[in-house]
Amino acid sequence: MMETPLPELEAILLVGGQGTRLRPLTLGTPKPLLPTAGVPFLAHQLARARSFGVRRIVFATSYRAEMFSEAFGDGSAFGLSLEYMTEETPLGTGGAIRNAAEALTCGPDAPVLVLNGDILSGHDIGDQVARHVAGQAAVTLHLTEVEDPTRFGCVPTDDAGRVTAFLEKTPNPVTNRINAGCYVFTRSVIDSISAGEIVSVERETFPGLIDSGALVLGYADASYWLDVGTPAAFIKGSRDLVLGRLASPALPCPPGEFLALPGAKVSTEAKVDGGTAVGARAVVESGAQVSGSVLGDDCVIHSGAVVTDSVVGIGARVASGAVLRDVVIGDGAIVGPGNELMAGSRVWPGVVLPECAVRFSSDV
Ligand code: GTP
């Protein structure tokens, strides 16, 4: 696909949420900084925004705000200029955008790109901005189609692409198009959001603009899209990046069955595949099987353990004979031999699950 480059454009990145659905991973690290295919999640978004000509990004921070500037500094390592605007108490998506806009330098008529900090998307940001400018819209929303729209609010449009309503979750959605979390705002529209107040763009700003007759356009497309808000989606995002299902300029090595960061020791007798990311200095012993998973720095997967579609936290250990599928193991936790953890289990940081000796009644 030909992508549309942009003249210099400013962006706001929303990264202040607590990431509650990803606990315990987000207890110590905000969701946008979780290691994803070998780099902090945001590195993929920053590199992609830059590839479209974005040069200046204002981070709207709140939860663990200081960790963002520690990770990305002034942005020069990424070819970007980064600013940080922190809310003392979270202001919601609209309040955060309004607060971050204080650091923008563009004029009232300029387009401003606004990105949720937990979305992986392959859509053509440049084309979205070009449509916004050509249509002289107040806001242009990226829309994506999902199989099951009942889990989301849905966003119907008319034949000309104008958004006609911004509907809350319902068991009978009128369309399977949903808000994909990437907006182009005309700067003056951001300035019209009340300053210093808690505002939701989804519940207040967008419905209010539509009711007032402002032009809100939908930019619908069918490219790769994923909200990494849940453990299963987060793991899928990392896996898809490692496998190359979504191209990212920030991927630390060419796409393949797995990637291993410096100092990782993966036994040639282990089976590691399905887009697994192996953290720095992590160890995967012989006979272990790891597929489609995210292994944190310094963790150890002992001989004969089986780990599928799971996250193993920093410094955690998974003993021989343990089996993990669709689970999250917190930093420093230990899964003793014989444990089988399935579908959605979460082990909190530092917890030790002792050896699980399985006995059948006939053995007694
Ligand atoms: P959950 O608690 O799991 O729902 O996660 P979340 O709050 O991080 O995510 P949600 O999907 O509701 O938010 C969408 C995006 O907006 C994410 O990138 C959040 O970081 C960001 N966000 C949500 N609320 C705020 C806020 O009050 N301030 C700022 N600065 N960002 C926010």
Side-chain angles (χ1 to χ4, degrees):
M1 183 179 69
M2 275 286 288
E3 292 184 332
T4 315
L6 295 165
E8 292 211 349
L9 175 73
E10 287 184 301
I12 292 172
L13 197 47
L14 291 172
V15 292
Q18 299 209 359
T20 50
R21 290 167 296 161
L22 273 176
R23 286 181 187 159
L25 298 173
T26 46
L27 292 175
T29 307
K31 173 166 55 175
L33 295 181
L34 290 175
T36 311
V39 293
F41 179 81
L42 278 189
H44 300 288
Q45 276 189 320
L46 296 182
R48 201 166 157 74
R50 193 185 185 286
S51 74
F52 284 103
V54 174
R55 292 290 177 269
R56 190 159 181 282
I57 302 183
V58 183
F59 280 42
T61 62
S62 177
Y63 178 63
R64 297 191 172 270
E66 70 295 341
M67 291 183 74
F68 291 93
S69 47
E70 283 163 18
F72 295 109
D74 66 0
S76 49
F78 298 84
L80 289 163
S81 156
L82 301 180
E83 297 281 334
Y84 301 89
M85 292 293 279
T86 301
E87 300 137 53
E88 275 176 29
T89 52
L91 292 174
T93 46
I97 294 169
R98 175 68 178 82
N99 188 58
E102 300 288 335
L104 295 174
T105 59
C106 61
D109 298 330
V112 177
L113 183 68
V114 178
L115 300 159
N116 276 3
D118 54 0
I119 300 291
L120 281 176
S121 173
H123 82 288
D124 185 341
I125 294 173
D127 193 39
Q128 182 184 353
V129 176
R131 298 265 193 101
H132 173 87
V133 172
Q136 299 184 309
V139 183
T140 301
L141 311 172
H142 178 214
L143 306 179
T144 190
E145 291 189 0
V146 291
E147 270 175 31
D148 177 14
T150 57
R151 294 190 299 117
F152 305 86
C154 71
V155 186
T157 53
D158 67 14
D159 291 345
R162 184 181 190 128
V163 175
T164 52
F166 212 86
L167 303 170
E168 296 278 346
K169 265 186 223 172
T170 148
N172 300 306
V174 294
T175 168
N176 58 355
R177 282 192 182 154
I178 63 156
N179 170 16
C182 172
Y183 321 119
V184 185
F185 275 82
T186 296
R187 163 78 196 264
S188 58
V189 175
I190 299 180
D191 294 337
S192 70
I193 298 172
S194 303
E197 289 181 19
I198 298 175
V199 180
S200 156
V201 282
E202 300 88 347
R203 283 190 295 278
E204 296 165 74
T205 312
F206 298 148
L209 286 167
I210 294 164
D211 286 348
S212 72
L215 179 57
V216 178
L217 285 179
Y219 180 83
D221 88 330
S223 57
Y224 182 99
W225 182 84
L226 186 69
D227 171 347
V228 301
T230 62
F234 168 69
I235 296 164
K236 176 174 164 42
S238 182
R239 185 163 68 216
D240 286 349
L241 286 160
V242 173
L243 290 169
R245 291 180 182 154
L246 174 67
S248 168
L251 196 69
C253 54
E257 280 297 313
F258 75 95
L259 70 74
L261 291 183
K265 289 193 186 128
V266 177
S267 164
T268 51
E269 310 285 305
K271 189 167 184 292
V272 181
D273 59 15
T276 294
V278 183
R281 302 169 302 280
V283 175
V284 183
E285 292 183 348
S286 68
Q289 293 179 44
V290 184
S291 183
S293 295
V294 180
L295 305 185
D297 294 348
D298 301 298
C299 75
V300 181
I301 311 299
H302 286 284
S303 160
V306 178
V307 178
T308 308
D309 297 343
S310 296
V311 182
V312 178
I314 298 167
R317 303 175 83 89
V318 180
S320 298
V323 177
L324 311 182
R325 181 182 296 277
D326 299 324
V327 304
V328 174
I329 306 298
D331 295 348
I334 298 178
V335 180
N339 282 283
E340 284 197 22
L341 303 178
M342 300 285 151
S345 306
R346 300 177 194 207
V347 176
W348 244 238
V351 166
V352 177
L353 296 183
E355 177 167 4
C356 178
V358 182
R359 291 204 173 79
F360 297 99
S361 52
S362 58
D363 300 336
V364 181

